[in-house]
Amino acid sequence: MTEHVLQLEEVTKTFGSGRTEVRALKETSLEVKRGEVIAIIGPSGSGKSTLLTIAGGLQGPTEGEVRIAGERITELAEKDRSKVRLEHVGFILQSSNLVPFLTVSDQLKLLDKVKKGNMSKEERDGLLEELGITKLTKKYPNDLSGGERQRVAIAKALYSNPSLLLADEPTASLDSDRAFEVMKLLKSAAVKKNAATIVVTHDTRLTDYVDKVYKMVDGVLHLESEDGGAKPLEEGRTDFLEKGGNEDGI
Amino acid sequence: MFLAWREIRQNKLRFALVTAVLLLVSYLVFFLSGLASGLAGLNREAVDKWQADGIYLTAESDKSLNQSMMESDLVDEIEADETAVLTQTNLIADNGDVKSGVALFGIRPDEFIMPEPTEGEEFSEEFEVIASDSLKEEGFSVGDELELSGSDETLTIMGFTDEARFNAAPVLYMDLEDFEKVRPGASAMSTQETPGQPAEGGQGPAEEVEQPDMINAIVVKGGQPNDVPDDLEYIESEIFIENLPGYTEQNLTLTFMIYFLFAISAAVVAIFLYVLTVQKISMFGVMKAQGISSGYLSRSVIAQTFILAVIGVLIGFGATVLTGQFLPAAVPVSFDYGMMAVYGAVLIAVAVLGALVSVWTIVKIDPLEAISG
Ligand SMILES: Nc1ncnc2c1ncn2[C@@H]1O[C@H](COP(=O)(O)OP(=O)(O)O)[C@@H](O)[C@H]1O
Ligand SMILES: [Mg+2]
């Protein structure tokens, strides 16, 4: 298996045609490895979400090649792409990640039902502890704060042990303290689960926690900085995953 | 089922409303079906009780018992394992306290349509009758002397029998031999007359004895109606019943109402679930983005509808049966549980059909829109 979980080769995306044509994405190539966390920053409308949804197989590119875990998803039918998403991709969105009528633990149980969950009980409890939501399992999304909700969303996205974790502005609805906290947890949990992670954000301060920062301007992706801002993880919360860290077997 | 059931539990009011609609519709359907079979029974139970295969009427009568007049010796020309002659007229019987419209049947006591009394005894003397036990509820009892409209004779109730209503009237069974003497207006007999019309009279009793009895029909059981005598027509029992005045019209009306209710419940469920589904489009979109298949989500909506429909129909069924206990006897409902089970199943199926609109909506949801929205 290739080391790169995600490979985009000269991907472009054009919406519409003629006078209404929008070139949302110009020739873009990107590779993300297991355990690597990258951030994409850039102004609104620059094509960040377009890139992320193409990377996650939610829409096809106009040109170019997309591989998730070595599989060329550009050639798959929606049904098969849905299966690739189920097996390999975890999504975290700005909000509404959670099913309103399920408790936190039922959110995860649902994933078991659709065969998306593949964690042992110990792993799951560890993940919940890592994210600090062990005590929330009986609560409904409405009874959680915004930060708690996003932490549950992270747990949900990681519950299937995805090889690719995609987050589109996961902290946009949070105040900056919560945003830092969630970002930190996202990074540490993703690394411990050995997922390749892309975080789209417009908050440049959050990029301190990632390995690489890309900037998107008008559909063109530049590498901003490499390994520069990544801070060492805080001790304590991540202890469990440190001990259980069997990423290779996942 | 996991999603389906949890959503129902979390949104009780919403789903209670859907269930309530299904409950009311099923209640109405069950009640109408009870009414339909009750009214049908009013018309046909006497005929059903004979367990006859068919009936001979005159060809010119156009399947109408009243309009069919024949001589009783025609019975010799009919091939069947068992035959029974029948003559019938409608009149009013009065026991001094209550009056009731009845169907008076003239039969021969040794033939197969002779009823077994469930109370009292058979008729043996002149002007004795066995009456439908539905007359008991109206205030008639064994030993009652009945004054008749259009006749000076009185009849005596010797016994009661069950399942003896014909075309909505309680039946009085009496011996064919005496029948002519009580036929309305028949102080004497004229063979050319249809019942109900006053006789012109003038024929002496001596003439009467020589003539064969006039009857309306010959009821048969067993054998093949191969050689139908001239002027007669063989009619199967079911066809005969369908041609009773008003029977088919009444049945069709009620059946039509029931079918309409099926269509209405399909539409109501479809609309209701569609509204609920539209509210959840973004949630479904996110779930689809996460790789949960349309199939799983659709099955969940179908399961939900099924659960609600079953609950609604069961409560509707219970409510119907309960109501049936408290209805006055005059309301002609009789619950045919087999039929109700079929209608209940159709209602559930139709509700699930209504959910297909939502399934279609779910299949069409593009997860991309949920993500970028
Ligand atoms: N489905 C679409 N149809 C037409 N234009 C689209 C569609 N999706 C995105 N775009 C356009 O592509 C550009 C990039 O959008 P997007 O990727 O959402 O930007 P960002 O996430 O960086 O704010 C925008 O100009 C947007 O209007
Ligand atoms: Mg965006």
Side-chain angles (χ1 to χ4, degrees), chain A:
Chain A
M1 189 168 123
T2 166
E3 196 199 359
H4 290 112
V5 176
L6 176 70
Q7 292 168 290
L8 303 182
E9 281 170 27
E10 308 195 334
V11 165
T12 68
K13 184 71 183 180
T14 309
F15 293 108
S17 61
R19 237 183 301 159
T20 59
E21 184 177 280
V22 180
R23 299 196 62 198
L25 208 57
K26 290 158 198 165
E27 301 233 323
T28 304
S29 295
L30 178 67
E31 293 185 325
V32 193
K33 290 183 288 198
R34 275 193 172 276
E36 189 177 36
V37 181
I38 69 160
I40 299 176
I41 55 170
S44 180
S46 58
K48 306 182 299 294
S49 294
T50 304
L51 177 66
L52 204 70
T53 51
I54 289 174
L58 283 171
Q59 61 181 331
T62 307
E63 292 168 300
E65 189 76 65
V66 180
R67 284 199 192 83
I68 296 175
E71 191 151 8
R72 290 161 58 156
I73 62 156
T74 13
E75 274 150 30
L76 298 180
E78 162 56 23
K79 202 171 174 205
D80 298 313
R81 278 195 282 160
S82 164
K83 220 162 138 197
V84 170
R85 289 202 297 272
L86 188 65
E87 281 167 18
H88 296 291
V89 186
F91 279 101
I92 303 168
L93 308 177
Q94 183 174 330
S95 61
S96 79
N97 288 289
L98 306 179
V99 183
F101 51 83
L102 294 181
T103 62
V104 169
S105 64
D106 281 345
Q107 306 269 348
L108 300 182
K109 224 185 258 172
L110 172 66
L111 300 178
D112 285 331
K113 298 274 173 194
V114 297
K115 304 203 170 53
K116 191 174 160 82
N118 52 12
M119 278 192 177
S120 65
K121 192 182 178 311
E122 288 75 27
E123 270 181 299
R124 189 192 66 186
D125 292 346
L127 180 67
L128 295 182
E129 197 167 325
E130 158 80 11
L131 293 166
I133 51 176
T134 309
K135 289 204 169 63
L136 307 178
T137 50
K138 288 203 168 61
K139 291 198 171 178
Y140 288 92
N142 269 342
D143 304 327
L144 302 178
S145 71
E148 286 170 336
R149 258 181 251 166
Q150 287 308 69
R151 282 187 270 158
V152 174
I154 294 169
K156 216 177 145 177
L158 286 171
Y159 188 59
S160 55
N161 285 318
S163 33
L164 181 61
L165 182 62
L166 303 174
D168 196 352
E169 318 239 11
T171 58
S173 56
L174 306 177
D175 64 51
S176 56
D177 282 354
R178 296 279 155 258
F180 278 121
E181 194 183 62
V182 165
M183 194 65 191
K184 211 158 60 188
L185 288 171
L186 174 61
K187 151 90 182 179
S188 62
V191 168
K192 294 308 172 297
K193 287 291 158 201
N194 208 20
T197 306
I198 303 179
V199 182
V200 165
T201 177
H202 56 253
D203 190 340
T204 48
R205 291 170 306 168
L206 296 175
T207 58
D208 290 352
Y209 299 99
V210 304
D211 300 322
K212 286 181 189 168
V213 178
Y214 288 86
K215 184 159 190 178
M216 179 76 92
V217 180
D218 274 342
V220 182
L221 194 67
H222 309 279
L223 182 60
E224 248 320 72
S225 64
E226 202 160 350
D227 284 323
K231 276 184 181 171
L233 293 168
E234 241 176 60
E235 290 302 310
R237 244 195 198 153
T238 58
D239 277 356
F240 171 87
L241 286 173
E242 229 70 81
K243 271 181 254 151
N246 60 337
E247 293 90 350
D248 295 340
I250 294 166

Side-chain angles (χ1 to χ4, degrees), chain B residues 296-309:
Chain B
Y296 184 85
L297 300 175
S298 302
R299 279 197 296 281
S300 165
V301 170
I302 299 275
Q304 229 163 32
T305 313
F306 186 78
I307 293 172
L308 300 178

